[in-house]
Amino acid sequence: MQQQSTPPSAAPAAVIDVEQAEAALVEHYPRLVRLAYLVLPPGLGRNRRVLTAHSVVQRALPRGRTADAPAPIPAQRDSAGRTGDPGFAYVRLKVLRSALEAGLPLRRTAWPKRAQLPPLLPQVWGLRLFPKSGGADELALDQQLSALSGPARAAYVLRGLERLDDAAVRAVLTEAGCTQEDAAAALAEARGLAADAGFCTELLESPEFDPCSLHARPTDLMRRRQHLKAAIAAVAATLVCGALLGLPGEGWAPDGAAAPPYAKNPAGQAALNPAKLHKVAPDTWKTSARTDFSVWPARGSLTGDKELLRRALAVWARPGGSVKVSATPGTPAGAPPGPPQLLYAGELDQARVVLFYDGLRIVRYAEPKNGTSGAALDFARVDGAADAQSSAVVMDRADGNVRYLTAPWVAGAATRDLLKPSAGARALSRTKDGVTAPFPSPALATSCTSWNALALTDSTGTRLTTDLGELVPAHLTSGSPAEPREARPADWATTACSLAAARSHGVRSVNSWAYARQALPESNGTAEWWCTRADTWRGGGPRTLALFRAPGADAAVVAAKSQSSPACGSRDPQVLAGVRWKSREGAWYLVAAGSAGVNSVSASGRSASGRMLAVRVARGADVSLSGRTARGAKVQPLR
């Protein structure tokens, strides 16, 4: 066999197009498939090896319109007169690369390459295909090739079938992804086999290794019949389950945005039945000893719409992926434990709104009038709510405005700007169901130029509440934490902007207390100290602020804050706080004040009897502050 000795050229690679590569593939298809078949690992089995060989050749065309051909190799010429060209060299390189990749082991840490997976096309069902059987020499060569590595088989086939010399073989293997060292080792391994049997071109071109001339035999007929029966049974079961899920009243489709049911039990089914909803009579609240959500009547124009109520209950039990769900901190968002109480069902602006109460939570469901896409589900904890804390529920927020559903005992509603207490109340109109007209809400405001509160009047008086971004407005009180009273707008004129720190934290009520007035050094006037405490529905995590207002300032500033301190609360009404303050002459002081129960205050070694302290300090100095009661108990400052 004559070998070429001219080394590969270093000239730039040619550019070929898809048509040129396709022409080479079609013309030399049998030889390319034979090359792939010989390089593929024999462990694949003859049937899969045949199909994989055809697959890698058929996927060898360029992905784009053009592609760079590999570095040119001197043209080969065989007995049939075939002459190498860039198109054939490109396709042969792609076939060789895919055949080598098919022999790589699968790894857990890397995605498998396409050639390592079973071929998508071509596919043959019901038949096993394999080349014609050869003689003893062909069988012996096949066994010897199976003992070689993938690159070594490729080197042997390129020498014997493609008639390339050693330099050309190394160049092709390098282009196919082998390193220089691996290509040299593969060539040495192939030469070791050739030392025993030679590069047997005649055997490589025999029908034993021709995947285009095939025998066909049936697959395992008994196993195929069993697999067919199992597939038919699986398809039938899937169709039956799908039909059952889609039945009216049983499946998920009629429930709008609700997800498919996950379990069924009598209590759960009763909770989702609109006919079992608890509806309070309109006049029950007039004779009840309680004034809370449990005596609210069912109101709204859609309280008899069973389809709407069923959708709302279903979404509550199992909200789908398209439902926007929110819950105040500490509020469970699970399904109703039993049939809840219906508070409202009706249309509001462009939505249908349903309100439920289950003894622990207020649940608001809203869906657009044109369908259920974009439905919303909101939860708010209201256990123990009474009087002012159960006088209103948010119905809707839109364009910076809020609307409320008021309790049946509310006789009048108005808004008050806490920052302008002298401005008076602005009456709010209400529908016959108790829904207020919209008015600007401070819940999402980015500045504090005004702060609207909702004033609700009943037979016992007027109470102030404000929107902090939750379903139930926070009740505003004022005075000593031991005996708070209903707030007046003037009580919050100095501290209203501090309410922004309590937004969306599950706040039940907020108290504002002016606990001290302090004469400042150097005759700079009198400062005011305030304490605001926001208590939550869940009991824990109260937010406490100590506020300081210098003479002439419009609003107080935060001097200290805490999220878990009992200070300024009903259990520990004592409070102590300090702040660095600069006089008109430019001197810096630490000024501190405690509530009425504080008997002495000290800071960094200096102390003062009474609950006020003012000491001159360096700007930025680290100062420790503490206080004591008349009985000697230590009072920790807010930090």
Side-chain angles (χ1 to χ4, degrees):
M1 178 178 63
Q2 184 177 359
Q3 300 287 345
Q4 296 183 8
S5 59
T6 306
S9 171
V15 177
I16 63 171
D17 56 24
V18 175
E19 289 77 9
Q20 186 178 359
E22 184 180 20
L25 188 149
V26 172
E27 180 181 358
H28 304 297
Y29 185 83
R31 194 173 192 88
L32 291 168
V33 177
R34 184 188 293 265
L35 171 66
Y37 182 82
L38 287 166
V39 176
L40 285 170
L44 292 177
R46 301 179 74 188
N47 180 73
R48 181 175 170 185
R49 194 172 162 196
V50 166
L51 296 179
T52 303
H54 284 273
S55 176
V56 298
V57 173
Q58 292 174 13
R59 289 189 287 108
L61 292 178
R63 293 184 181 273
R65 296 299 302 170
T66 61
D68 291 336
I73 295 174
Q76 312 96 41
R77 186 180 302 275
D78 58 18
S79 58
R82 179 179 59 81
T83 301
D85 58 62
F88 175 77
Y90 174 83
V91 175
R92 180 181 62 188
L93 178 62
K94 292 278 289 183
V95 169
L96 184 62
R97 182 179 294 138
S98 296
L100 291 175
E101 289 175 349
L104 297 176
L106 291 171
R107 300 183 183 276
R108 293 183 178 180
T109 57
W111 286 100
K113 297 181 180 297
R114 178 65 191 88
Q116 294 176 279
L117 302 174
L120 295 177
L121 290 174
Q123 287 287 349
V124 178
W125 289 38
L127 289 176
R128 298 188 62 82
L129 303 177
F130 49 90
K132 298 177 180 179
S133 300
D137 293 337
E138 288 85 350
L139 179 60
L141 179 59
D142 189 39
Q143 292 175 345
Q144 290 170 335
L145 287 174
S146 66
L148 299 179
S149 64
R153 281 196 304 275
Y156 187 91
V157 173
L158 290 173
R159 285 291 307 264
L161 191 64
E162 293 297 299
R163 302 182 182 182
L164 300 181
D165 61 11
D166 290 354
V169 170
R170 280 195 296 269
V172 173
L173 291 178
T174 303
E175 287 281 350
C178 297
T179 63
Q180 293 285 353
E181 294 77 7
D182 290 342
L187 192 57
E189 190 178 354
R191 282 199 298 264
L193 175 59
D196 297 332
F199 292 100
C200 301
T201 303
E202 295 79 8
L203 292 179
L204 293 175
E205 292 179 343
S206 68
E208 170 77 16
F209 306 112
D210 182 10
C212 290
S213 180
L214 303 169
H215 284 298
R217 293 292 185 273
T219 56
D220 189 330
L221 297 179
M222 292 299 296
R223 181 177 297 177
R224 188 172 72 187
R225 182 177 298 174
Q226 294 170 354
H227 288 176
L228 180 60
K229 291 180 179 179
I232 292 174
V235 171
T238 302
L239 293 176
V240 170
C241 291
L244 290 176
L245 287 175
L247 288 176
E250 294 294 330
W252 56 266
D255 293 339
Y262 53 87
K264 291 184 178 182
N265 60 70
Q269 291 298 101
L272 301 181
N273 187 351
K276 295 185 178 296
L277 282 173
H278 182 48
K279 297 179 182 180
V280 175
D283 295 331
T284 300
W285 64 273
K286 295 180 180 180
T287 56
S288 173
R290 305 172 58 177
T291 51
D292 56 18
F293 291 112
S294 67
V295 295
W296 275 35
R299 288 174 286 177
S301 60
L302 300 179
T303 55
D305 189 339
K306 292 186 178 180
E307 289 301 313
L308 170 63
L309 298 177
R310 186 176 58 78
R311 284 197 304 274
L313 291 169
V315 173
W316 179 0
R318 42 182 207 282
S322 64
V323 179
K324 299 177 181 178
V325 181
S326 69
T328 57
T331 303
Q341 178 183 343
L342 177 64
L343 303 183
Y344 180 88
E347 293 186 350
L348 196 65
D349 296 330
Q350 299 301 315
R352 288 182 287 265
V353 178
V354 183
L355 292 178
F356 298 110
Y357 172 64
D358 67 354
L360 173 68
R361 302 167 292 179
I362 291 291
V363 180
R364 176 183 177 271
Y365 170 79
E367 66 179 25
K369 286 184 179 179
N370 58 358
T372 61
S373 177
L377 187 66
D378 304 308
F379 296 87
R381 184 171 173 175
V382 292
D383 48 317
D387 299 327
Q389 296 163 1
S390 60
S391 292
V393 175
V394 170
M395 292 290 290
D396 175 56
R397 289 190 186 92
D399 301 325
N401 294 325
V402 63
R403 300 179 72 172
Y404 287 95
L405 175 67
T406 56
W409 55 82
V410 171
T415 62
R416 299 294 303 265
D417 188 347
L418 298 181
L419 298 183
K420 300 174 183 177
S422 61
R426 297 184 299 275
L428 271 180
S429 62
R430 296 186 298 159
T431 67
K432 63 177 182 179
D433 291 325
V435 179
T436 69
F439 66 94
S441 167
L444 301 178
T446 57
S447 60
C448 190
T449 57
S450 66
W451 195 282
N452 283 331
L454 176 66
L456 300 175
T457 302
D458 58 23
S459 60
T460 62
T462 299
R463 298 176 174 88
L464 287 179
T465 61
T466 190
D467 184 13
L468 295 182
E470 299 167 359
L471 279 183
V472 179
H475 181 206
L476 299 181
T477 59
S478 181
S480 169
E483 295 181 356
R485 56 175 172 78
E486 293 297 332
R488 298 183 297 267
D491 298 328
W492 280 91
T494 301
T495 57
C497 291
S498 67
L499 289 168
R503 289 171 178 158
S504 302
H505 283 87
V507 173
R508 179 176 189 152
S509 62
V510 191
N511 185 66
S512 179
W513 179 30
Y515 70 89
R517 289 173 58 86
Q518 181 178 18
L520 297 175
E522 301 180 11
S523 300
N524 275 247
T526 302
E528 295 177 338
W529 288 91
W530 298 75
C531 174
T532 63
R533 180 183 175 89
D535 288 313
T536 64
W537 289 98
R538 62 189 182 278
R543 295 195 164 222
T544 306
L545 300 179
L547 304 169
F548 174 82
R549 187 174 76 162
D554 293 332
V557 297
V558 176
K561 58 185 177 180
S562 173
Q563 191 167 341
S564 58
S565 172
C568 197
S570 58
R571 300 190 64 176
D572 184 8
Q574 306 299 337
V575 60
L576 172 66
V579 67
R580 288 183 177 86
W581 169 80
K582 184 179 181 182
S583 70
R584 287 193 294 264
E585 300 299 326
W588 284 93
Y589 290 85
L590 171 69
V591 293
S595 56
V598 178
N599 192 56
S600 64
V601 181
S602 61
S604 297
R606 301 181 64 179
S607 62
S609 60
R611 58 193 181 107
M612 309 291 180
L613 175 69
V615 295
R616 192 162 182 170
V617 296
R619 182 179 182 181
D622 188 12
V623 180
S624 60
L625 180 67
S626 64
R628 291 190 180 274
T629 65
R631 295 185 177 181
K634 192 171 183 179
V635 179
Q636 294 292 346
L638 289 179
R639 300 181 183 276

